[in-house]
Amino acid sequence: MSLTTLALDAGTSVTRTIAMQRAIRYEWRHLTALRSTWTLLGVIAVLSLLAGATAPIGLTSGTAPSVWAMVTAIQMDAISMQIPISALLLLPLAYGPIATEFSRGTARTTWLTLASRRTAFVAKLLVGGALGALSALGGTALVVSSAMVALALTGKAQPAWGQTLSGVLGYTVFMTCWPLIVASVAALVRSRVAAALLLVLWPLLGERIAGVLLRLAPGVDALAGWLPFGAGRAAMATGADTLPDADRALVETFIGNDLSPGAGTAVFICFTIMIACFGAWSYIKNDAR
């Protein structure tokens, strides 16, 4: 390979890196400039503080909340809600950058400005994923801090915080993947309302119906345990094995499959990558409507 070719390749790589950095900076500045961003993050912060502050309720003096109680507090009750409340709050922030482009007809301007639809889409995913991860970690810190203070002030014992780490990891993975899924679905359906309805109704209701139908179909019934949001719930279900039998059975019913937290995490990540590829194809290949 000639020196000229190497120089051209190096120059192209540098140009792409600079373009990506600019795109990420633009998306981040746009997101942080919105009042709605800080409003929704503020709501998450308040709910996190309340979740931690209520940890001593119902405990006798000297006792500690269970690991499962603290994991569900950190995750904003992800299992019984089927999806974390924090994820629902981030929904408009995650689909907004793409849905707004298509609804207002500004997608072509974005593509011309960045000279690459791929760069625009990847930047949106990276910024959205970062926002999801930061909100999960920040909310966790607030829950833990307020719970520690509340338990100390009320004379209750501290839980085994170390045993909640895997639950925090599963929650962080879910919240990192969630904006990627939302943005990709928005790129596929190109409708703010349709994307919101699909992303709310499918995890809460659609997967339940799909699971029932799959279990009735011979030969594919095993697939019912591998549906994506059921896997996501399994990824966050750390600590359920410490519950009494009746409570553990109820949690397993809410989860809807028998996957371990590790397997659930792997399935959910694979689903995120797949839907992101479809979203990228739609965003990159199709013209704006």
Side-chain angles (χ1 to χ4, degrees):
M1 187 177 292
S2 65
L3 292 176
T4 302
T5 303
L6 288 173
L8 289 174
D9 290 343
T12 301
S13 178
V14 170
T15 301
R16 289 176 177 173
T17 301
I18 293 174
M20 181 59 70
Q21 290 175 344
R22 288 177 176 174
I24 292 173
R25 191 181 305 117
Y26 167 78
E27 293 294 341
W28 184 258
R29 290 178 64 183
H30 177 260
L31 195 62
T32 55
L34 295 174
R35 184 180 301 174
S36 57
T37 300
W38 298 107
T39 300
L40 293 176
L41 291 178
V43 172
I44 292 175
V46 170
L47 292 176
S48 298
L49 289 170
L50 290 175
T54 56
I57 294 177
L59 298 176
T60 58
S61 181
T63 59
S66 67
V67 171
W68 176 249
M70 295 317 305
V71 166
T72 53
I74 289 170
Q75 298 174 356
M76 294 193 181
D77 205 10
I79 303 303
S80 62
M81 283 293 294
Q82 310 297 297
I83 189 171
I85 295 175
S86 51
L88 294 176
L89 289 170
L90 289 185
L91 182 62
L93 298 180
Y95 68 55
I98 290 179
T100 302
E101 279 188 353
F102 289 115
S103 64
R104 296 184 181 178
T106 60
R108 293 183 185 275
T109 303
T110 299
W111 298 338
L112 290 172
T113 302
L114 295 176
S116 171
R117 301 182 189 184
R118 182 180 296 104
T119 300
F121 189 75
V122 171
K124 286 174 170 58
L125 294 189
L126 291 176
V127 171
L131 179 68
L134 290 174
S135 65
L137 294 173
T140 297
L142 292 175
V143 171
V144 172
S145 300
S146 61
M148 292 178 68
V149 172
L151 291 169
L153 291 176
T154 56
K156 309 299 192 301
Q158 299 291 329
W161 291 112
Q163 295 181 23
T164 66
L165 290 178
S166 55
V168 173
L169 176 61
Y171 175 54
T172 303
V173 169
F174 185 97
M175 290 296 292
T176 302
C177 292
W178 172 248
L180 278 64
I181 295 171
V182 173
S184 300
V185 170
L188 283 168
V189 302
R190 303 192 174 204
S191 167
R192 185 189 299 265
V193 175
L197 289 175
L198 179 61
L199 290 162
V200 171
L201 294 179
W202 177 258
L204 296 178
L205 182 61
E207 275 203 356
R208 296 296 186 190
I209 298 174
V212 171
L213 294 177
L214 285 172
R215 289 185 176 91
L216 294 175
V220 295
D221 54 310
L223 295 177
W226 293 78
L227 293 172
F229 286 97
R233 291 190 293 272
M236 293 184 284
T238 301
D241 55 347
T242 63
L243 293 171
D245 291 342
D247 293 337
R248 184 168 65 250
L250 182 61
V251 169
E252 290 173 352
T253 300
F254 279 129
I255 293 172
N257 63 50
D258 298 325
L259 294 178
S260 66
T265 300
V267 170
F268 194 69
I269 290 175
C270 290
F271 168 73
T272 301
I273 294 172
M274 181 187 71
I275 199 71
C277 290
F278 282 119
W281 172 83
S282 178
Y283 188 84
I284 293 168
K285 297 297 182 182
N286 296 333
D287 291 331
R289 299 180 196 175

